[in-house]
Amino acid sequence: MNENTAADRAQHRTAEEILEIKKEIELHQRWLHNKGGRRAELAFRDLSGLPLKGVNFSRANLSGANLSKSNLRNADLSYASLFNADLEGADLMEANLTGTDLRGANLHRASLSGAVLRGADLRSGKLWNQDGDTNKTDDLRSGNTIMTEANLTSAILCQAKLSGCDFSGADMIEADLTGADMSQATLVGVDLTGANLTKTVLTNARIDRVTISKCNTTDLSNLGIIEATLSSISPDDFRAAVHSHQTWIESHGNTGARLDLDSVKIPAIDISGANLAGARLRRCHVMGGKWTGVQLNLSDLSYIDLSKVNLEKAQLRGVNMRRANLSEANLTDAVFDAFQMTAGERLWPSNLYQVPMTTTHRPTF
């Protein structure tokens, strides 16, 4: 992820470009108040780093625009086109997104707490090149709307079109999803505590068993929800993948391959002492086994199910274990403190967001 500040990113634009964008916004305000002007046409423009808090972008064309990490708090984006826009990490708290076209948008880690998305369209979107030639795939952008790890606490999503949307790890605490279409959506690691699911369409929505167990709704079985399907890997293939990862580390990436699995059932085997630093095992279910002393520094283990796995003395410095399931795992003397490559360099703290710990685990922080 880009670590630059909004101000740093803004420096890549010329003063003339920034003035042109500001003029377009001013003309849009006049258009909204029937005082001349015109609708803002800011498709594919880089708007990051501009002061946009509370700006009225209602009905503006922001398709494909770069609004990553922008401050759009309290902004009015109702009925605007944000088709395929980049809103990663944007602050959209209390924003008005009523009827907004967000198809194919990237809202990874965006904050939408208290935002109104009534009737918004967050389905998958495809953007064709201007001449409509579908064979020119280099000019084609498509994909599902990304809402992974977004903060949707108390957001209003009534009647929103959310079919196929990926909400993995999102906070939807007390969100109002009345009548929303969430069919075929991915809800792995989502916090639905207190969410209103009245008449919500959840047909074939993918959800993990841990999330289901935390839902405080009466009966999810009649809502069409299915447990997220996991692919399988054989013990021999997993051992080979572990060996290839260790080769990748030892050769500094010149040979071997990084261990990168998503939504896989990992067999219960003994890989004690293996070096899996930097591995990606997102949304996997480890079926048991012995991982004593395994090095998992800087690994991405978000939403992983490690229940009943022996992780005694495992090295987990700087690990991402957001909403992991560690119930009954043996974490005796496992180390979770921050990772630092060399003295004086950046510290990488471990991410244990909403991971319950018990005193019997005795991990080290």
Side-chain angles (χ1 to χ4, degrees):
M1 184 180 295
N2 193 344
E3 296 291 338
N4 293 339
T5 65
D8 290 335
R9 294 197 304 275
Q11 290 178 0
H12 295 292
R13 294 186 300 258
T14 65
E16 183 179 352
E17 287 174 324
I18 293 175
L19 284 174
E20 182 184 341
I21 292 169
K22 288 182 177 179
K23 182 180 179 180
E24 197 72 16
I25 295 173
E26 290 170 1
L27 288 169
H28 185 73
Q29 307 311 305
R30 288 163 55 186
W31 177 74
L32 288 170
H33 293 92
N34 297 315
K35 295 181 179 179
R38 62 171 180 267
R39 180 192 183 201
E41 293 290 339
L42 292 164
F44 301 102
R45 301 301 294 268
D46 182 3
L47 307 179
S48 59
L50 296 179
L52 302 174
K53 182 178 179 180
V55 169
N56 191 342
F57 274 129
S58 179
R59 293 177 281 170
N61 182 10
L62 297 160
S63 301
N66 176 15
L67 289 156
S68 58
K69 297 186 179 179
S70 292
N71 183 355
L72 288 157
R73 187 175 295 204
N74 297 116
D76 187 348
L77 292 153
S78 58
Y79 303 101
S81 176
L82 285 161
F83 193 92
N84 271 279
D86 186 358
L87 290 151
E88 180 168 349
D91 183 353
L92 288 154
M93 292 178 66
E94 309 293 337
N96 183 4
L97 293 151
T98 300
T100 303
D101 186 352
L102 286 157
R103 288 175 295 166
N106 177 15
L107 286 146
H108 175 63
R109 291 188 178 172
S111 179
L112 293 121
S113 179
V116 178
L117 293 102
R118 186 179 284 108
D121 192 346
L122 289 94
R123 295 173 295 175
S124 60
K126 294 184 179 180
L127 190 63
W128 307 98
N129 53 69
Q130 291 183 348
D131 61 10
D133 185 351
T134 60
N135 294 319
K136 294 182 179 179
T137 55
D138 56 326
D139 292 327
L140 174 65
R141 293 174 58 189
S142 63
N144 290 340
T145 303
I146 300 169
M147 296 288 285
T148 50
E149 300 181 14
N151 180 3
L152 289 153
T153 302
S154 301
I156 299 172
L157 291 143
C158 305
Q159 308 297 323
K161 301 177 182 70
L162 309 170
S163 179
C165 189
D166 188 351
F167 288 97
S168 295
D171 285 314
M172 303 185 83
I173 302 166
E174 297 184 355
D176 190 349
L177 293 157
T178 304
D181 180 4
M182 299 187 77
S183 57
Q184 300 181 352
T186 300
L187 300 168
V188 176
V190 172
D191 191 342
L192 288 163
T193 305
N196 186 352
L197 297 171
T198 304
K199 296 184 179 179
T200 304
V201 179
L202 289 158
T203 307
N204 294 327
R206 296 174 62 247
I207 195 167
D208 58 298
R209 60 191 178 93
V210 176
T211 299
I212 292 175
S213 68
K214 291 180 179 178
C215 286
N216 58 347
T217 189
T218 51
D219 184 12
L220 290 175
S221 62
N222 295 325
L223 298 177
I225 280 182
I226 57 175
E227 187 171 341
T229 54
L230 302 176
S231 57
S232 299
I233 185 171
S234 70
D236 287 343
D237 285 346
F238 184 64
R239 288 191 185 94
V242 169
H243 181 266
S244 182
H245 182 87
Q246 293 182 134
T247 302
W248 175 75
I249 291 174
E250 292 165 2
S251 67
H252 303 286
N254 292 317
T255 57
R258 183 184 208 168
L259 181 60
D260 191 348
L261 301 176
D262 193 335
S263 302
V264 175
K265 287 183 180 179
I266 297 175
I269 59 176
D270 187 347
I271 58 167
S272 296
N275 188 351
L276 298 182
R280 295 193 188 106
L281 297 170
R282 291 168 55 86
R283 297 182 281 205
C284 291
H285 182 190
V286 183
M287 308 303 289
K290 190 175 182 181
W291 289 32
T292 303
V294 169
Q295 292 190 47
L296 287 159
N297 299 330
L298 295 177
S299 294
D300 186 353
L301 307 179
S302 47
Y303 326 118
I304 195 170
D305 190 340
L306 286 161
S307 54
K308 300 182 180 179
V309 176
N310 186 350
L311 287 159
E312 186 176 357
K313 297 181 180 179
Q315 299 296 306
L316 294 151
R317 292 183 171 91
V319 71
N320 179 8
M321 296 187 81
R322 179 185 173 93
R323 286 191 176 137
N325 181 13
L326 294 171
S327 60
E328 299 183 57
N330 182 356
L331 293 168
T332 304
D333 295 326
V335 180
F336 283 94
D337 57 9
F339 180 85
Q340 189 175 38
M341 186 70 71
T342 58
E345 288 193 355
R346 175 181 174 180
L347 284 171
W348 297 85
S350 296
N351 181 353
L352 298 169
Y353 180 71
Q354 289 199 354
V355 178
M357 289 283 181
T358 67
T359 54
T360 56
H361 289 149
R362 300 196 303 277
T364 302
F365 294 96

